[in-house]
Amino acid sequence: MIELAPSILSADFARLADNVQAVADGGATLVHVDVMDGHFVPNITIGPPVVASLRKVTRLPLDVHLMIENPDEFIPAFVDAGADWISVHQEACKHLHRTLELIRHHGANPGVVINPATPVQTLGEVLEMVDHVLVMSVDPGFGGQKFIPASLDKVRKLATMRTAKRANFRIEIDGGVDVDTIAECVRAGVEILVAGNAVFGQGDPRENTQRLLKLAAEATLQRV
Ligand code: DX5
Ligand code: ZN
């Protein structure tokens, strides 16, 4: 199943509930929440209180993408706030195995994220532990950046590794997904598409969600 996860990074933070309702009405089945600490990435966004507020206004699963150092220190707070999925960067974790176990232990779905410069082979030993692998198709820190096409090779490699290992994780992509890039992501094997600017940047978030999902569905018919 192909899912769209609108990233609230590009939403109107004073009207988050309305924005999330709009994308749910448009067919979004996840809400992507970007957490940045000003250390791991050169930007600061939100923390557990905003996740707790979102939890009260939507039943959609909250897909929390931690772009922070020392994620172990904050995982319990994000789970308590209502995070359903938590993904951590391979580059931010000294003990990635331990961190993924911690997420599972606290009752959230663990995911691992890799930056554009990080090879998929670095995930070989943890693929059986995660529910999703998030491939960054921009360098993390900001919305509205240009899609890096080489990310699609990483998606294809991950799909091959999944088959070889008989693993079950889903493949998610994040960064620069829009009406021009979404179809090639789906054809490469992406199952969960994060989109911020393309959903909330301009126009109506509900209609933008519908349009992106329609393009994604059409692209599934062209998968090779
Ligand atoms: C970037 C974030 C993304 C971002 C994507 O660091 O992880 O989730 O919101 O934004 P767009 O879709 O605008 O590239
Ligand atoms: Zn993200």
Side-chain angles (χ1 to χ4, degrees):
M1 177 186 161
I2 301 283
E3 294 189 74
L4 187 76
S7 162
I8 59 160
L9 183 61
S10 296
D12 179 347
F13 274 43
R15 301 181 56 222
L16 273 185
D18 293 348
N19 281 194
V20 168
Q21 185 61 50
V23 297
D25 291 346
T29 43
L30 275 174
V31 177
H32 186 82
V33 180
D34 287 307
V35 176
M36 306 188 187
D37 66 352
H39 293 280
F40 180 66
V41 287
N43 198 1
I44 298 177
T45 56
I46 60 168
V50 175
V51 173
S53 294
L54 279 171
R55 183 69 293 158
K56 291 185 197 144
V57 299
T58 184
R59 299 172 75 161
L60 294 184
L62 301 177
D63 168 27
V64 175
H65 174 191
L66 297 183
M67 286 161 275
I68 64 175
E69 290 180 2
N70 305 316
D72 296 25
E73 287 178 27
F74 298 95
I75 285 162
F78 279 103
V79 174
D80 288 348
D84 300 283
W85 301 16
I86 295 186
S87 49
V88 290
H89 272 259
Q90 184 268 15
E91 305 87 359
C93 296
K94 287 198 188 95
H95 307 286
L96 180 58
H97 184 278
R98 174 182 287 148
T99 303
L100 294 170
E101 279 194 333
L102 185 71
I103 297 170
R104 180 85 69 194
H105 174 76
H106 279 276
N109 295 3
V112 66
V113 195
I114 45 172
N115 279 336
T118 305
V120 292
Q121 286 79 3
T122 59
L123 302 181
E125 311 307 322
V126 298
L127 289 177
E128 280 135 313
M129 303 178 68
V130 294
D131 288 1
H132 53 292
V133 175
L134 176 50
V135 175
M136 288 308 301
S137 40
V138 298
D139 282 296
F142 304 94
Q145 300 182 83
K146 196 171 171 327
F147 185 81
I148 299 170
S151 315
L152 298 177
D153 276 336
K154 294 166 77 174
V155 169
R156 286 185 277 264
K157 279 183 195 155
L158 274 169
T160 303
M161 289 164 82
R162 177 171 60 189
T163 306
K165 289 182 176 286
R166 298 195 182 136
N168 284 316
F169 61 87
R170 297 170 76 200
I171 303 175
E172 182 174 20
I173 203 161
D174 185 4
V177 174
D178 60 18
V179 291
D180 296 322
T181 55
I182 196 165
E184 53 191 337
C185 292
V186 171
R187 287 196 293 265
V190 173
E191 291 137 343
I192 302 160
L193 300 136
V194 177
N197 198 49
V199 171
F200 296 110
Q202 54 191 344
D204 176 37
R206 183 178 60 85
E207 286 171 15
N208 292 339
T209 300
Q210 286 172 331
R211 186 177 310 121
L212 289 165
L213 276 169
K214 183 163 180 284
L215 289 169
E218 286 165 4
T220 57
L221 307 172
Q222 304 157 1
R223 266 183 177 165
V224 282

